[in-house]
Amino acid sequence: MKIMQIREIANVAATLSEGLRRLGHEVTLRPMTARKSEGAVDISGLPRRLAEAYRIDREVRRGRFDVVHMHWAHTGWLGILGRYPYFLHCHGFDLARNLDWPLLGWVTRVALRRAQRVFYSTPDLARYAESVRKDAAFIPNPIDLQRFTPAAAREGRGERILMMSRFEAKKGTETATAMVRRLRQRHPEVHVDAFDWGVLKPRSLNGDFNLIPRVPYGQMPSLFAGYDVIIGQFKLGIVSMSELEAMASGRPVVSFFDYPQVYDEPPPLFSTRDPEEGAETLARLLDDPDLRRQSGEAGRAWVEKHHECQHVAGIVEGHYREVLGV
C-alpha cells in the first residue's frame, strides 16, 4: 500500500512509518510545521495553517495514496475540507481536553465521525474516543527496538536517577518530587536529574534535583544509558512513550500503571502512587544491581512483545485492510 502519515506527535508517526516500511509498504511522513502547540488556538497563525492545508491537499491528490493516516484529532479537518478519506489517530489532549471546549469540541467530534476509523494511543483515552466512535481502536505506541537498545550496566559508585516527566499536573510530578525528596533524606549521595521543563517546576530545588536541558530525540538512547533508574509519570496510569523507550533500553522504571485489562500481562515496571513506597523501591533498586538487570531485561522483553514498531504496524495494517477491503 501507498500510505501518507500526516503530523508528528511524540515521534509516533515516524516510528509507525518505519514499522510499516518494514512490512513492505511505501510510506510518506508529512510533518506539519504551521502550528503553535498541542490543541492551541492561535488566530495569528491561521493563514499559515490554511496555506499548509492547501499544500497537503495537493500532495495527497497528486500522490494517489491508498491510505491517509492523520495524527491529532482535529487534523481530520484536512480530509473533510479536501474531500478525501482518512484514518484518525488520537494522542491525548486532542480528546481529553479539546472535546470539552465549545468550538474545538464540535470540530473534534466532526473529525472523529467522518474518519474511516479512529485510533487512540493510550488506554485512558478509550472513554473519550468511544463516546463519539464506538468502533475506536486502541493502537499501542510503537517503539523502535533497533534504536533503543540496552546499554551496559553502569559501573562504580554514584548511582544516577532520571525523572523523565516534565513538571506538569497531568504527569503527577508532585508524587515524583515527594518520592525523590524522601529518598534523598536517607540517601543524600544519590544524583537525580530532571528536565528543566514544565510550569510546575519547583521554585526551590533544595538540592533534590539537578535540572538538565531537554535533548533531541536522536540522543535519547545515549541519555538512558547514563542512568541506573528512570522515574516516570504518576497521574494518568499509562505507560508513556518515554517509559516504553526506557524499558526498551533495559532500564528499570518506577511509575504508575492502572489499566491491566489492556494487556495479557502487566508491564514489569514498579507501579505505585505512594511516595514512601516509591522511595523504598528506588532505594532497593539502587542497592541491588541484579534487581536492576532483571527488571531491565523483563521490561525490554515486554516492550518487544507488545510495542515493537513492526508488530504495532501489523495491527494498523490490519485495520487498513479491513476498512479498504483488500
Side-chain angles (χ1 to χ4, degrees):
M1 281 185 277
K2 192 174 183 182
I3 301 164
M4 175 177 271
Q5 299 268 330
I6 297 178
R7 194 167 182 173
E8 183 59 275
I9 302 293
N11 218 63
V12 173
T15 308
L16 180 58
S17 295
E18 178 58 30
L20 288 165
R21 291 188 189 103
R22 293 175 190 176
L23 292 177
H25 300 290
E26 180 183 345
V27 186
T28 298
L29 175 58
R30 200 342 177 144
M32 294 183 67
T33 58
R35 63 188 183 89
K36 183 177 180 181
S37 63
E38 297 179 356
V41 177
D42 178 20
I43 301 301
S44 65
L46 184 59
R48 296 193 305 274
R49 290 196 290 274
L50 289 175
E52 184 168 42
Y54 174 72
R55 292 193 297 271
I56 291 174
D57 181 72
R58 294 181 62 186
E59 292 170 23
V60 169
R61 295 186 180 282
R62 290 177 177 178
R64 299 182 180 275
F65 294 95
D66 301 300
V67 170
V68 177
H69 184 146
M70 298 182 182
H71 297 261
W72 207 249
H74 61 67
T75 308
W77 271 87
L78 293 176
I80 294 173
L81 295 175
R83 298 183 180 180
Y84 53 80
Y86 59 91
F87 291 77
L88 193 57
H89 205 139
C90 306
H91 294 269
F93 274 174
D94 54 341
L95 293 180
R97 181 185 63 187
N98 293 358
L99 281 174
D100 288 335
W101 288 16
L103 177 59
L104 196 53
W106 175 81
V107 168
T108 299
R109 282 187 287 272
V110 173
L112 292 168
R113 292 184 183 121
R114 297 284 187 88
Q116 291 175 288
R117 185 151 293 176
V118 171
F119 304 137
Y120 56 93
S121 61
T122 53
D124 60 308
L125 299 177
R127 64 190 180 99
Y128 302 103
E130 293 174 4
S131 70
V132 182
R133 286 289 297 261
K134 296 296 184 184
D135 63 341
F138 170 55
I139 301 297
N141 278 325
I143 303 298
D144 189 346
L145 295 182
Q146 295 180 20
R147 175 189 292 270
F148 292 94
T149 59
R154 297 181 67 254
E155 297 182 357
R157 300 185 61 83
E159 287 79 3
R160 296 168 62 89
I161 296 174
L162 175 64
M163 192 175 90
M164 282 299 304
S165 298
R166 60 185 181 269
F167 290 96
E168 289 191 3
K170 72 172 185 175
K171 299 295 185 180
T173 48
E174 69 282 357
T175 299
T177 300
M179 190 179 297
V180 169
R181 287 177 174 162
R182 282 170 168 77
L183 173 69
R184 287 184 55 81
Q185 286 172 1
R186 288 170 284 187
H187 298 276
E189 77 284 357
V190 174
H191 183 99
V192 183
D193 285 342
F195 291 111
D196 189 2
W197 185 24
V199 297
L200 297 182
K201 183 175 63 178
R203 294 180 181 178
S204 176
L205 300 177
N206 296 320
D208 295 321
F209 300 97
N210 175 52
L211 294 183
I212 62 174
R214 297 163 60 187
V215 301
Y217 187 74
Q219 296 179 19
M220 291 296 290
S222 59
L223 179 76
F224 287 130
Y227 294 91
D228 300 285
V229 182
I230 306 299
I231 299 176
Q233 57 78 37
F234 298 91
K235 182 74 169 181
L236 299 177
I238 63 171
V239 189
S240 69
M241 280 291 285
S242 59
E243 291 158 354
L244 290 168
E245 289 160 355
M247 293 167 69
S249 302
R251 291 309 187 247
V253 173
V254 179
S255 184
F256 175 65
F257 180 71
D258 197 33
Y259 292 90
Q261 71 277 12
V262 175
Y263 302 102
D264 58 3
E265 56 182 335
L269 49 75
F270 296 88
S271 178
T272 183
R273 262 184 172 170
D274 179 73
E276 184 63 32
E277 180 184 12
E280 292 176 358
T281 299
L282 289 170
R284 186 157 48 94
L285 284 165
L286 294 175
D287 290 339
D288 191 341
D290 288 337
L291 179 61
R292 295 200 300 268
R293 176 184 55 78
Q294 293 166 7
S295 174
E297 291 174 352
R300 167 85 179 183
W302 186 88
V303 171
E304 181 174 8
K305 180 178 179 181
H306 298 284
H307 287 267
E308 190 275 327
C309 66
Q310 188 170 328
H311 166 72
V312 174
I315 297 173
V316 173
E317 178 192 51
H319 285 283
Y320 292 163
R321 295 192 182 279
E322 181 180 341
V323 171
L324 300 178
V326 296

